[in-house]
Amino acid sequence: MTQLPMKQLGFYVDTAKCTGCKTCQLSCKDENDLKVGVNWRRVYEYGGGDWMQNADGTYEQNVFAYYTSISCNHCAQPACTKACPTGAMHKREQDGLVVVDGDVCVGCRYCEMACPYGAPQFDAEKKVMTKCDGCYDRVEQGRMPICIESCPLRALEFGPIDELRAKYGTEADIAPLPDSSLTLPSLVMKASRHAKPSGDRTGRIINTREV
Amino acid sequence: MHELPLVFFTVLAQGTVGLFLVLACLLMVNSDNSRQQLLNKMLMVVLVLLGISGAAAMTHLGQPLRAINVVFGLEHLSALSVEIMSTSLFGGAVLTYVAMTHFGILPKLQKLVLAGAMGLGVLLLLAIANVYTLATVPAWNSGWTVFQFVMTAFVVGIPAAALMLRTQSVLLGAYQKNADRAMATLGFLVMGVVLVGYPLYLFWLGQVDLPANPLGLFEYHGSLMLARLALLFVGMGLWVISATRGSNTVVGLTAFSTIMVLMAELCGRIFFYDLHMFASGM
Amino acid sequence: MKKLLDSALSSIVKRRTFMKWGTAAGGAAVVAGNALPLKAIAAESSSEKKSEEKVTWTACMVNCGSRCPLQVHTKDGVITHVESDNRGDDVYGDHQIRACLRGRSIKQRVYNPDRLKYPMKRVGKRGEGRFERISWDEALDTIARQLKYTIDTYGNDAIYYQYGSGTQGYKTDGPFAGKRLLNLIGGYLPYYGNYSWGQIQFALPFTYGGGRPAAYGSFTSEIANAELLVMFGYNPAETRMSGGGEIYEHTNAVNSKNVRTIIIDPRYTDTMLGKESEWIPIRPGTDAALVEAIAWVLINEQMVDEAFLEKFCVGYDEKTLPASAPKNGHYKAHILGQGPDGIEKTPEWAATITGIPAKKIIQLAREIGSAKPAYIIQGTGIQRQANGEQASRAICMLPILTGNIGLAGTNTGEMPGNYGFPVKTLPIGNNPIKTAIPFFKWTDAIHRHHEMTDKTDGLQGGTHLKNPIKFIWQYAGNITINQHSDINRTKEILSDESKCEFILVFENHMTPTARFADILLPDITTIENYEVASNGYSSGSLGAVIPLVPAIEPMYECRSAYDICSGIAQRFGLEEQYTEGKTHEEWVAELYELMRKEQPQVPTLEDLRRDGPYKQSAPESIRIALKDFRSNPNKHPLGTPSGKIEIYSEKLATIAAEWELPEGDVVTPIPQYVTTWESHLDPLTEKYPLQLIGFHTKGRVHSTYHNVALLREAVTDAVWMNPADAEARGVKDGDMLKVWNDRGETRIPAKVSPRIMPGVAALAEGAWYTPGKDGVDRGGSFNVLTTHRNTPLSKGNPMHTNLVEIAKA
Ligand SMILES: Nc1nc2c(c(=O)[nH]1)N[C@H]1C(S)=C(S)[C@@H](COP(=O)(O)OP(=O)(O)OC[C@H]3O[C@@H](n4cnc5c(=O)[nH]c(N)nc54)[C@H](O)[C@@H]3O)O[C@H]1N2
Ligand SMILES: Nc1nc2c(c(=O)[nH]1)N[C@H]1C(S)=C(S)[C@@H](COP(=O)(O)OP(=O)(O)OC[C@H]3O[C@@H](n4cnc5c(=O)[nH]c(N)nc54)[C@H](O)[C@@H]3O)O[C@H]1N2
Ligand code: SF4
Ligand code: SF4
Ligand code: SF4
Ligand code: SF4
Ligand code: SF4
Ligand SMILES: [Mo]
């Protein structure tokens, strides 16, 4: 394995604040000129619950829902780089961001199969894999990724992951996200009051056609 | 379904390895020189099939012209790099063997090369399975993936080998009849294994903890699985029965059987790729 | 972009435009290059990018209630991407006004394949959508000729200024430019009210008097001072999306004290998601029944604020009932079953109507009765129902009964108040035509104007219409087809070209309404224009002055409404009067200076344009509605006849007696639940068993931004159905459905979700009407299902009251 990055950058996602507005997704698409079908940031709607009708026709329910905004988690143990046959998908040493080298990628889509977060997004026009690159060019200029800066609810943060963890803890196992031990994502989440643990089967991703 | 090229590649490559392994076994135990030459020629077919499956795989690449870049992945043992390398090495070994026998190069080493190719063939089967046993894809991450991929080699390889020999039944005479019967016996066993194994696999799948019922993902899956089992049963069955009953030289029937089992495995593989469902369903 | 370029290049465009797109192609290539994943060669290309890139402050000006600044980045005159307000350290209170997903995608709306390029005239039948390119001269000549003809043949009152909210933010262009011209040439038929708040704004003055609060209650910042927050169909997460506006303020206020929040809505909205303490799903159109049962509990459990009611209100009980009222005409009698209907409004009674269990209603009533202070608020979806006036007044009864009025942490039960920075507008002169129609009745004014009176159809400022509408002036609106009710009926009325003789449309895009134009004018978009805008009408406590500087040159042959109207004025010989010798930019500058005389703290126009919006927080003194009245009712009486809160309105009693209402329509002096047509109790449910409500979707603003593919992908249009209703119809998530009633049919996929109550379906309004060859809409356009029938009092739009059936298509 390559040596650990000098400073691992990562995301904080507050599912208690997030309203699922998708501004983060769109600002990313605008900045990076992404087409329909290529979503570096995706907002998953997770929900469930049952309805019961009483004898008088009234209803009881225990409905719940919340959104999780996920891009690439620039994992400490990325499944994508491990899978990649060309090394195009690589983890940068300076900041731990996982980036595709579009000039090396053969477009085999194996990283897409391996990543449990749906992060790699195949560009059908350029025929190579693309993915959230942590806006490293902005970050290098001392600016925030555009998705972070765009969130109307201030539900997203970005920075050295150890600082984010010191501030917010280490939660990263919220449904519909997979077990974080699979790839050790550089991600910290705040749970919505409704949040279910990874592996939960009481709800489902409701907006399957939007992600 | 963007994986369709991979469906063809994996099934064809596995079937080809199976075919090769059967032919190679026959070669290993063979001592008749003219038979040897005939069998060696048959290996050309293996090369052609391998070429076709390789081409199918290439069509899945967005940037086929950069295919050479896959060597970089060997550095960190990318399963895909290993698979692609195994394919090339296997193909290379078969080619070397064919070339050596054709041009009569180093006759003493030929069997050794053949044995090596057999080893690489087995390696290739495992390497393909290894690509798909991803920890992040629970529906794939099990011995059932290896089982299925190896069984495809047998299921397709044995009737295909039988077919090849039958086309040469005039030249091969009694040898062919005996070999055919032996293969049919083997095929019978294999059929038993898969007809038990595949339903068990489906049963296992129903038990895996997944975000959605993997057996209810697509409406056509029910028919796909039924078709797979039916095609297998008909394909293998017809050939095995006819072979054990003594009609060991009929080409048409075996060809039909081979196509049936090939289709069965393609159905199975489409189902397999559809199962690509992450631990989370994301 | 490529498609756009292709279409731009293949069309016959002027040399100038052609050249611009030539450079655009180069620019696009650079953009694409930069977007490659390995943005590498980084340092080099990004510093290069910096030196050439231009950043311009402008804004998103659509009608969502907010007004978000945008920094448009361009290179060689082509937009590369947009940023929003990213200045300062974003401390709450002086926070950034962050655009939502729509503003963020404005590049796609500006560079859109649907963009109109040059003036066009209709060829073929009206609505067919066949047009022929004409010159600006021909377009302006035709319009001027038609205006003169209409005025000479019928009169100015045959010219209708149509509702159109596409450029809410303009102060010196758009609607102002148009009305200024029309007034100069003798006036036009005006409307009153609007599609947004027609019912609530009409109804609440009967309770609270005119002016504020007649739709604007306390600021949401007051929520922080409340102990309980009750929201009826108020959904700021989806309808107030700006990161500088209500949703952000709302979230901060709720979180600051962890205020207990109860939300009453048939849908589990994005405002909830665990942020609510409790969701109470309610059958559409039945909020007034819920309120009455709550009142029953409050009265029976002695939780009403009798002292408040006696001192500040009229008509709660015998003590304050006006002399003109019938005996037992007061609210208390009505609730306790002593009124004319003799029904006691018990929780059990309301349970069967609302679908809410009686014990839940009791619990809710006790919470509302005991929490002090309680902030009670409603959205305006509720009043977009068949008797929305009653419902909106009814909800206000809760703060009134509990005395939660005029104090810190309270609200009047209305939409929240907002601070709008007073930016000056272009003077529009006076309209000599005094008779106004309700905004919703223009289709009637085309085909049955002679039957319309003040008492039948709510005419104001006159009793009759002298003329039918002959000329529709539609600027920045998709009302004429898409956003008004019953598209099929509207089409039928408009297809008779002898009735409404001329439809003039100013647009950016080839919308369903644009297809019905006789002359279709290509307007520039707001980011191609000069303006100084204020923050919107739903931006919470944060006021702002927002500069708009053209980020790109006007595209194609597009012209601003101001330019167009100057051109028409010239054909009337009135150009000098119209422009007063000023260019549009000069008007902007002059009005800005006028404002600065009154608001000297505002930076100079030059600084504003360079540094971006000026922000100013609302003074504390204006945040609580009815504060003055509460502290001194004699000194600060309300605008009602009695000067008090009128639970019993004598004015309404008069209306109820004098107006001619169709069967089933009810106006009453006190707010009360009425079982309406197309409710869940209508026998029509046998044929159409589902109540279909609309909602305003985060994926667009009404129909604006609908043609942005990235947004259609991000928020896919679909009918929300409860799993039980879906299963009963064999419908699975994602299935293509047909949704229909006697008025029309649309096709749209299913979104099967527990987030909607059984028996109710929901569809986002605003999708573009897209009829197939068989006339059936394929676009999921809501208004093929709605009715021209109006609400009883304000004669407004009951667009959320619809019975439908749904099946797999
Ligand atoms: N994203 C977005 N934001 C917008 C707009 C937009 O198009 N898109 N449009 C803007 C404009 S012009 C306006 S007027 C406002 C409109 O804002 P609102 O009028 O508040 O919006 P609606 O979405 O019509 O209705 C609000 C809620 O009322 C619920 N509702 C419907 N019927 C009933 C009922 O009978 N009882 C109860 N309790 N709830 C009910 C709906 O489920 C919905 O969640 O939004 C503004 N903001
Ligand atoms: N069924 C149903 N119908 C509804 C509603 C509902 O809840 N349900 N809501 C109603 C409400 S609250 C409202 S406010 C209305 C809104 O109805 P409209 O006022 O018609 O609003 P939009 O549909 O956004 O249409 C605005 C038009 O302006 C155009 N436009 C945008 N920018 C510019 C510009 O710079 N120049 C010009 N010339 N044109 C421009 C856009 O392309 C768009 O076609 O819809 C109402 N209709
Ligand atoms: S922009 Fe913020 S609130 Fe909106 S979806 Fe993204 S994370 Fe959630
Ligand atoms: S989220 Fe997926 S793509 Fe991103 S680093 Fe982790 S495994 Fe790789
Ligand atoms: S698609 Fe590209 S980045 Fe992904 S695994 Fe293949 S070569 Fe690597
Ligand atoms: S960090 Fe940058 S590239 Fe990644 S999702 Fe956010 S905006 Fe997109
Ligand atoms: S909140 Fe409204 S004004 Fe702001 S960007 Fe969104 S649509 Fe435009
Ligand atoms: Mo509105």
Side-chain angles (χ1 to χ4, degrees), chain C residues 562-582:
Chain C
Y562 181 86
D563 280 354
I564 294 164
C565 292
S566 311
I568 301 170
Q570 183 205 8
R571 282 156 176 84
F572 276 87
L574 295 167
E575 192 183 11
E576 185 55 34
Q577 285 94 320
Y578 186 81
T579 62
E580 298 181 19
K582 291 184 271 258

Side-chain angles (χ1 to χ4, degrees), chain A residues 71-75 78-81 89 98 115-117 119-120 131 183:
Chain A
S71 55
C72 163
N73 301 311
H74 305 286
C75 305
C80 56
T81 56
M89 184 71 82
V98 175
C115 167
Y117 294 95
K131 190 179 72 52
T183 64

Side-chain angles (χ1 to χ4, degrees), chain C residues 418-468:
Chain C
N418 282 280
Y419 179 51
F421 202 92
V423 174
K424 300 268 179 235
T425 59
L426 180 75
I428 60 166
N430 284 314
N431 184 2
I433 310 290
K434 294 301 171 210
T435 307
I437 60 170
F439 64 94
F440 190 58
K441 300 299 287 179
W442 58 272
T443 29
D444 291 59
I446 292 172
H447 73 96
R448 52 173 284 272
H449 81 286
H450 49 283
E451 298 169 12
M452 295 171 72
T453 70
D454 52 339
K455 303 230 162 35
T456 59
D457 293 270
L459 302 186
Q460 284 188 351
T463 55
H464 291 84
L465 290 180
K466 281 209 273 315
N467 285 298

Side-chain angles (χ1 to χ4, degrees), chain C residues 163 165 167 476 478 483 506-508 523 696 703-704 783 799:
Chain C
Y163 182 91
S165 66
T167 60
N478 206 349
Q483 296 301 107
F506 298 68
E507 252 301 341
N508 295 144
D523 193 2
H696 290 221
S703 68
T704 309
N783 283 319
M799 288 161 152

Side-chain angles (χ1 to χ4, degrees), chain B residues 15 90 153 241:
Chain B
F90 170 66
I241 292 167

